[in-house]
Amino acid sequence: MERRNFLSVTDTPAPRPAAQAPAARPPLERQRYGFEFTGSAGEYFRVWIVNIALTAVTLGIYSAWAKVRNKQYFYGNTRLAGGSFEYTANPVNILKGRLLVLGAFIAYQAAAIFQPLLGAALALVLVPLIPWVVNRAISFNLRYSSYRGLRFHFDGRYWEAFRVYLLWTLAIGVTFGLAYPYVVWRRKQFFVDNARYGRSPFHFEGEVGWFYVVYIVGSLAYSGIMLVAVLLVVGGGVGLAALSGGIDPGQVDLGEWGKVLAAAALVAAYGGFLLSVLVFNAAVQAMIANHVWQRTRTADVTFDMRLDLFRIIWLQASNIAAIIASLGLAIPWARVRMVRYKLSCFSLLAVPADLERFVAAEREALSATGEELGEVLDLDLGL
Amino acid sequence: VSAFDARYFDGRSSAARAVQVSVDGDGRVHVLGDGVAQSFPRGQVRVSARLGASPRYLYLPDGAKCETEDHAAVDAALAGGDGGLLHALERHWGTALASALFTAAFLWASFQYGLPFLARHAAHAVPPAMESDMGRQAMKVLDERLLAPTALDEAAQARVRAAFERVVAGLAVDHPVRLEMRSAEKLGANALALPSGIVVVTDQMVALAGNDEELMGVIAHELGHVHHRHIMRSILQNSAAALLVATLLGDVTSITGLAASIPTFLVEQQYSRAFEFEADAYALAWMRANGIAVAHYAAMLERLADAHGDTDGVTRYLSTHPSIGERVRAVEGG
């Protein structure tokens, strides 16, 4: 814990104690183990595009396999202390889950279009299912994630999810958004406190005050930038009108090129707005991720995340620009680049022997047969 | 006998042990080292598929797992040589390029032909009665937000109704239709086709039309939307296009979602413009069949262009309607 303040992530190479002689006394001092991403953009591009083509050939059936393969690529290339992560979900279950969700969605849409009342009634029936779906979805993702041969687990209870995802979500509206940072904090707490690695539960000690600081500073900065942007657009428009011979709208005739310029300005303003929302969201998420991981522990292992705000903003903005300019072909490069940076800022602190001491949950040695219905639901809620 | 190094995890604890895995001549897999000495028949050891340079996993029958990066040795000893079909496709830039071209062609063909074809058939299969709620709902929303009761006098209303009846009488519209007149300050001169065959004509449109023939052209155009089930088709096509892109990309989160929404948006505008041309053609066919000069239709379009301001040029790609210039050219050319 105390070393966290003196060491930065980059100057500490991650030790990889793959083979320790039993005779050697393991050091009792805590060490820093950095996460590392070993995939490459070129390799992932090929995996990505081949799987998209296979999904197209099979009219979507293959999408479940494609999802698993994409996830496996990122999990497998995530290295920590001489081990890799593994995503072990069965694509058949994901396919079943997708068909179920698609069927429900079509039924709901059809009901909403043809019989609005029936749609509303259906929504009433579906809402109480939300906490259950949230639990199953997180559980599914963790259960099929493993590291060093042990699975992760999630023990969220229905009523807890009910409070966090329904009651507190309602509170956001009632308080005109003031409760939002609190709700985000509750959700992180719900996620971390109910997660386990093998038998070892995670603990969350994040402070709700930090969430308020992040969201208040974030929205102030965002409003400021938006104000400047609006002034620039309005100013530019007035300037353009003045240049073309008067501010009276009746007299402005910009001609073909003027219209092109005006359209381009409109598209740029709209795109800039979307881009800034995404970039700001990434920055806020990064500040929250830093705090959440710095305040998370399991057994005697603590975590550390030090994302640099400006690096995140640059990566996100340039990723979006590249994706749009390449008509989507840069998606793999953008993903790899972002994940590589994030993992390079992520580490854990542990006495080496502690990493070897986690044990499997009781049921775990049995194979993962007997899937429950809920586990076919696979929704990425992500942390 | 081939051997390779691996990390061994017993599945009960997180302890990592360095082992050497080898396959002997009798087809048995031996796992040796660091307190591990096991052997299994080769058939009981499952090997994960190769995925780039990411680690390979050997799943042993007792729940233990070996992890290694020595792909060549794993493929030679256990996985039958080449790493499998998927890896064969994923390792070459040639197949990646072919996949990209195929995906582009697939998307183009789906947007251009596949989805419109499916939506057309699905829309015609929807019984008119099912649309009636949609129509009522749409009318209600429009009345609340954009429309006011008509301010036309009795004579003018009768004139519009007569024009409507005349168009309907000359058409084999396989769908119940109904005329609604409304005043619309915000929409201006406009006519709308709503689900379940409701045709809305605004007072401003009636005022703009130079004569009854022009008004009948407008009504026939809207009935073309009704006849071709354009509303239902656009709902179906647009949702299918969004679903298609989401399925291919496999996720709709944050930035990939944005990337997906741009082509979907452009495709939607394209569909909408195609429908306008289809409705134009329908109106023109009716005019010709009923001995009304097509010039009236072009004249009406010109009036609309003057009233609303046209969108020729680059901006037309962002518009739901084709530019009236384009439509006039199509009318005069056809």
Side-chain angles (χ1 to χ4, degrees), chain B residues 267-296:
Chain B
V267 163
E268 283 173 13
Q269 310 313 305
Q270 185 65 45
Y271 287 155
S272 169
R273 291 197 296 271
F275 289 160
E276 294 307 321
F277 280 122
E278 211 171 13
D280 281 348
Y282 187 84
L284 292 174
W286 174 80
M287 292 176 95
R288 288 200 190 92
N290 289 271
I292 296 173
V294 170
H296 288 301

Side-chain angles (χ1 to χ4, degrees), chain B residues 106-126:
Chain B
F106 178 83
L107 279 175
W108 178 80
S110 304
F111 288 150
Q112 194 72 24
Y113 303 109
L115 300 183
F117 174 84
L118 291 175
R120 189 163 63 241
H121 285 269
H124 282 279
V126 173

Side-chain angles (χ1 to χ4, degrees), chain B residues 179-247:
Chain B
L179 173 70
E180 296 283 347
M181 282 172 266
R182 294 287 190 279
S183 169
E185 296 293 338
K186 287 179 199 155
L187 289 178
N190 219 323
L192 310 162
L194 305 185
S196 73
I198 301 171
V199 173
V200 181
V201 178
T202 68
D203 295 358
Q204 290 75 6
M205 179 63 105
V206 177
L208 185 71
N211 51 44
D212 283 2
E213 282 74 16
E214 291 184 13
L215 195 59
M216 283 190 274
V218 169
I219 291 169
H221 173 96
E222 297 308 321
L223 289 171
H225 284 314
V226 172
H227 177 80
H228 290 298
R229 306 283 197 286
H230 281 159
I231 297 221
M232 193 52 98
R233 278 162 66 184
S234 75
I235 291 174
L236 294 171
Q237 277 178 201
N238 294 343
S239 352
L243 186 68
L244 176 71
V245 175
T247 306

Side-chain angles (χ1 to χ4, degrees), chain A residues 18-20 22 42-43 45-57 59-60 62-63 69 72-73 76-77 79 82-86 88 98 102 113-116 146 148-150 197 256 259-260 263 267 274 278 316 319-320 323-324 328-329 331 334-335 354-360 364-365, chain B residues 7 9-18 34 48-55 57 59 62-63 65 67 69 86-87 89-93 95-100 102-103 106 126 130-131 133-134 137 232 235 243 247-251 253-256 258-259 261-262 310-315 318:
Chain A
Q20 277 164 2
E43 190 177 69
F45 176 83
R46 299 195 301 267
V47 170
W48 179 78
I49 194 70
V50 164
N51 279 281
I52 285 181
L54 289 173
T55 301
V57 168
L59 301 176
Y62 189 78
S63 69
R69 209 154 165 84
Q72 271 173 350
Y73 188 83
N77 282 306
R79 313 298 184 105
S84 66
F85 286 76
E86 193 188 354
T88 56
R98 291 201 167 165
L102 182 70
I113 290 173
F114 297 124
Q115 294 287 337
S146 74
R148 288 179 165 239
L150 301 190
Y197 173 54
E256 181 72 3
K259 280 186 196 161
V260 171
V267 171
L274 275 180
L278 290 172
Q316 178 83 346
N319 275 351
I320 294 170
I323 286 173
I324 292 171
L329 288 176
I331 289 175
R335 276 187 194 157
D354 282 348
L355 285 185
E356 315 279 319
R357 268 191 213 133
F358 288 98
V359 279
E364 194 162 52
Chain B
R7 296 174 298 276
F9 302 102
D10 63 12
R12 293 185 296 278
S13 89
S14 62
R17 281 178 258 187
D34 207 1
S48 71
R50 182 157 181 193
L51 176 53
S54 72
Y57 308 100
Y59 307 97
D62 63 350
K65 185 171 90 173
E67 200 177 300
E69 275 81 28
L86 272 177
H87 178 64
L89 293 172
E90 288 165 356
R91 67 189 291 199
H92 298 294
W93 279 103
T95 42
L97 180 68
S99 298
F102 173 79
T103 304
F106 178 83
V126 173
M130 286 185 82
E131 283 183 37
D133 270 322
M134 276 171 79
Q137 204 70 22
M232 193 52 98
I235 291 174
L243 186 68
T247 306
L248 286 190
L249 283 182
D251 82 321
T253 51
S254 61
I255 51 176
T256 39
L258 173 76
S261 71
I262 295 172
D310 201 0
T311 53
D312 232 335
V314 179
T315 40
L318 303 172

Side-chain angles (χ1 to χ4, degrees), chain A residues 42-377:
Chain A
E43 190 177 69
Y44 178 56
F45 176 83
R46 299 195 301 267
V47 170
W48 179 78
I49 194 70
V50 164
N51 279 281
I52 285 181
L54 289 173
T55 301
V57 168
T58 58
L59 301 176
I61 307 285
Y62 189 78
S63 69
W65 280 261
K67 183 210 165 83
V68 169
R69 209 154 165 84
N70 275 283
K71 270 193 113 150
Q72 271 173 350
Y73 188 83
F74 282 95
Y75 274 59
N77 282 306
T78 299
R79 313 298 184 105
L80 171 71
S84 66
F85 286 76
E86 193 188 354
Y87 185 65
T88 56
N90 181 353
V92 175
N93 289 343
I94 291 179
L95 183 66
K96 283 185 202 159
R98 291 201 167 165
L99 292 176
L100 194 75
V101 170
L102 182 70
F105 179 75
I106 289 176
Y108 176 74
Q109 282 295 317
I113 290 173
F114 297 124
Q115 294 287 337
L117 267 180
L118 185 65
L122 212 57
L124 275 183
V125 176
L126 290 176
V127 163
L129 285 178
I130 290 174
W132 182 79
V133 170
V134 167
N135 277 335
R136 301 313 323 177
I138 301 176
S139 180
F140 183 91
N141 266 319
L142 288 187
R143 204 181 134 82
Y144 294 112
S145 302
S146 74
Y147 171 67
R148 288 179 165 239
L150 301 190
R151 289 166 184 274
F152 292 81
H153 297 272
F154 188 73
D155 304 319
R157 296 274 152 261
Y158 177 85
W159 287 109
E160 205 182 343
F162 183 86
R163 281 199 299 277
V164 173
Y165 279 88
L166 287 183
L167 282 189
W168 282 111
T169 305
L170 282 179
I172 297 174
V174 174
T175 59
F176 303 105
L178 282 179
Y180 186 71
Y182 176 78
V183 175
V184 176
W185 175 75
R186 281 293 298 251
R187 286 182 183 173
K188 300 291 181 196
Q189 184 190 46
F190 174 69
F191 179 84
V192 175
D193 276 348
N194 286 303
R196 275 186 292 131
Y197 173 54
R199 263 183 231 174
S200 178
F202 287 85
H203 299 287
F204 178 66
E205 281 141 19
E207 282 161 22
V208 68
W210 176 255
F211 285 71
Y212 272 93
V213 169
V214 168
Y215 278 102
I216 290 170
V217 171
S219 28
L220 285 181
Y222 187 67
S223 315
I225 289 179
M226 276 291 116
L227 190 68
V228 172
V230 167
L231 288 178
L232 280 178
V233 168
V234 171
V238 170
L240 199 64
L243 274 178
S244 51
I247 301 176
D248 178 7
Q251 290 177 4
V252 179
D253 183 14
L254 297 177
E256 181 72 3
W257 279 107
K259 280 186 196 161
V260 171
L261 271 181
L266 201 71
V267 171
Y270 182 67
F273 172 73
L274 275 180
L275 189 122
S276 66
V277 168
L278 290 172
V279 168
F280 253 83
N281 191 41
V284 164
Q285 294 308 322
M287 283 196 278
I288 285 177
N290 280 348
H291 182 75
V292 167
W293 284 111
Q294 285 167 20
R295 303 301 180 92
T296 293
R297 63 182 177 82
T298 180
D300 291 325
V301 174
T302 58
F303 295 87
D304 192 14
M305 185 170 251
R306 299 284 160 129
L307 298 172
D308 183 87
L309 218 53
F310 294 101
R311 278 292 290 277
I312 287 284
I313 289 172
W314 156 245
L315 285 172
Q316 178 83 346
S318 52
N319 275 351
I320 294 170
I323 286 173
I324 292 171
S326 67
L327 303 175
L329 288 176
I331 289 175
W333 173 78
R335 276 187 194 157
V336 163
R337 186 168 173 246
M338 189 57 110
V339 167
R340 181 181 293 140
Y341 174 67
K342 283 185 174 171
L343 288 180
S344 76
C345 301
F346 190 24
S347 58
L348 59 78
L349 291 116
V351 175
D354 282 348
L355 285 185
E356 315 279 319
R357 268 191 213 133
F358 288 98
V359 279
E362 294 82 353
R363 288 189 303 136
E364 194 162 52
L366 309 170
S367 71
T369 51
E371 310 277 14
E372 297 156 61
L373 172 72
E375 297 202 328
V376 303
L377 286 163

